[in-house]
Amino acid sequence: MGFVTRHKERDLEIPKHRQDLMTAIEKDLFNDDDVLAAFYGGSIGNKNMDLYSDIDLRIVVLPEKFQEFISNKKNRPKKWGNVLYFEDLGPFVTYSIAHYDCFVKVDTFYYKPEDIQPSIWLKNIKIIKDTDGMLADILNKSMALSYEPTMEEFELWRSKFFAYFHEAYRRVMRKEYYYALKCIDSLRLSMATAWYMEAGIQPNTFGDWAKYEGKRSKLEAWQLSLLESWECGRNPLEMMNVMKSIVPEFKRVHKNLCNKLGIEENPEWINGIINMVI
């Protein structure tokens, strides 16, 4: 039957509570002359919300008011609903993450006008305030952009893959199994990143698994199946077998990315690095 939550009724109410929060946010920001523009990113901007989607809020403020907004970043969200707690990395961080009693969280980032430039990440946004048309212009320019992996991204990707591959082995041999599992998870994430690069899709910031799995994933069915097959527990033999099973797909996608970027594949060098572990 699978997992059944005792919070089903509460969860079904989340979309209503999320909309109530958005209504409060929009009313508050619309009536604040120090807020030049505001928009939603994430699932709201992409129009692919599900039951558990967060509110990713971006606020552009007058430059002379920027520090004031940052100083009050924990106060403003309290005007929108009942905050249970905040995730906060300190007073100088330019965002706040507020968790509400309705099980919705709001990630609020503050910007000066010059901080907002056309970007792949701004192709799908929902504008809720745009005093001088700045966001509309940036959205139009962003829509003309397309993603192609750079040589720097590629080099960082494969060097980190090699590093996690070697480190997983070291941690297995030391019997530091949770550390080894963390490295293996990074290998899986590296492969999801590579598949996105191969398909010309902007990957997530490394460490972010959001939307790589589930109904909103842009991966093919066979890729999702491979990800699922690379599951393992704390058994050393199982971990090493999963690492070994990742290698053929790594080599395939590595070859394709080399061809895409005009880089020498050098399979002997790749084999030398891999064979130090398996």
Side-chain angles (χ1 to χ4, degrees):
M1 187 169 97
F3 173 71
V4 177
T5 177
R6 67 184 180 90
H7 299 294
K8 183 178 180 180
E9 290 186 12
R10 178 207 62 191
D11 291 0
L12 290 174
E13 293 293 314
I14 289 175
K16 174 186 177 298
H17 295 307
R18 182 170 56 228
Q19 185 56 57
D20 289 342
L21 280 169
M22 291 167 63
T23 299
I25 288 168
E26 291 163 27
K27 181 179 179 181
D28 177 33
L29 300 183
F30 186 79
N31 291 322
D32 189 337
D33 292 337
D34 293 334
V35 174
L36 299 177
F39 62 94
Y40 298 122
S43 301
I44 299 174
N46 282 305
K47 299 180 181 179
N48 62 357
M49 286 186 294
D50 66 10
L51 203 59
Y52 302 100
S53 291
D54 306 328
I55 298 175
D56 294 300
L57 177 64
R58 310 293 184 254
I59 302 175
V60 185
V61 303
L62 288 168
E64 61 270 24
K65 295 288 185 177
F66 183 74
Q67 288 305 322
E68 182 180 333
F69 272 83
I70 301 307
S71 297
N72 292 307
K73 64 180 180 177
K74 279 188 170 183
N75 295 325
R76 188 141 212 151
K78 295 176 183 178
K79 298 166 65 176
W80 308 331
N82 184 26
V83 179
L84 281 178
Y85 64 95
F86 288 93
E87 293 179 62
D88 192 354
L89 297 179
F92 303 109
V93 176
T94 60
Y95 62 86
S96 72
I97 304 175
H99 293 254
Y100 289 84
D101 63 355
C102 56
F103 206 57
V104 176
K105 72 183 180 81
V106 179
D107 301 348
T108 306
F109 287 74
Y110 294 96
Y111 301 96
K112 300 172 187 175
E114 60 266 28
D115 296 330
I116 303 294
Q117 300 295 329
S119 164
I120 293 289
W121 298 110
L122 297 180
K123 294 182 73 169
N124 297 308
I125 62 174
K126 181 180 179 181
I127 298 171
I128 58 177
K129 184 174 182 179
D130 195 12
T131 303
D132 59 3
M134 175 190 72
L135 285 180
D137 181 58
I138 286 174
L139 177 58
N140 286 335
K141 291 177 179 176
S142 296
M143 292 301 292
L145 301 177
S146 59
Y147 170 77
E148 288 293 336
T150 66
M151 293 185 70
E152 291 77 13
E153 286 177 292
F154 171 77
E155 288 292 352
L156 179 61
W157 164 74
R158 71 174 176 181
S159 63
K160 294 302 290 183
F161 181 92
F162 296 148
Y164 286 124
F165 201 77
H166 283 189
E167 196 62 27
Y169 173 82
R170 294 186 185 101
R171 300 302 166 171
V172 167
M173 298 308 295
R174 288 172 172 164
K175 296 182 171 56
E176 296 176 359
Y177 296 136
Y178 281 128
Y179 199 144
L181 286 171
K182 181 177 182 293
C183 293
I184 292 170
D185 189 58
S186 293
L187 293 175
R188 290 189 287 257
L189 186 56
S190 292
M191 295 309 303
T193 297
W195 286 330
Y196 268 42
M197 289 194 295
E198 184 181 30
I201 303 170
Q202 175 73 60
N204 295 346
T205 303
F206 198 83
D208 182 4
W209 269 103
K211 301 184 181 72
Y212 279 142
E213 295 183 284
K215 294 180 180 178
R216 296 178 297 173
S217 176
K218 295 179 181 177
L219 296 175
E220 301 289 340
W222 66 268
Q223 293 168 328
L224 290 170
S225 180
L226 267 182
L227 275 182
E228 186 176 353
S229 74
W230 293 334
E231 183 61 57
C232 65
R234 286 168 51 89
N235 181 279
L237 181 60
E238 187 180 357
M239 285 190 275
M240 294 304 298
N241 283 338
V242 164
M243 291 167 60
K244 185 175 181 179
S245 70
I246 292 173
V247 169
E249 180 56 18
F250 167 79
K251 289 182 176 179
R252 184 201 67 79
V253 74
H254 178 271
K255 179 178 181 178
N256 281 356
L257 288 171
C258 284
N259 291 337
K260 181 188 284 280
L261 291 166
I263 298 172
E264 183 184 0
E265 181 190 358
N266 200 345
E268 292 80 12
W269 176 64
I270 299 295
N271 287 333
I273 293 171
I274 297 297
N275 290 341
M276 295 180 76
V277 169
I278 60 172

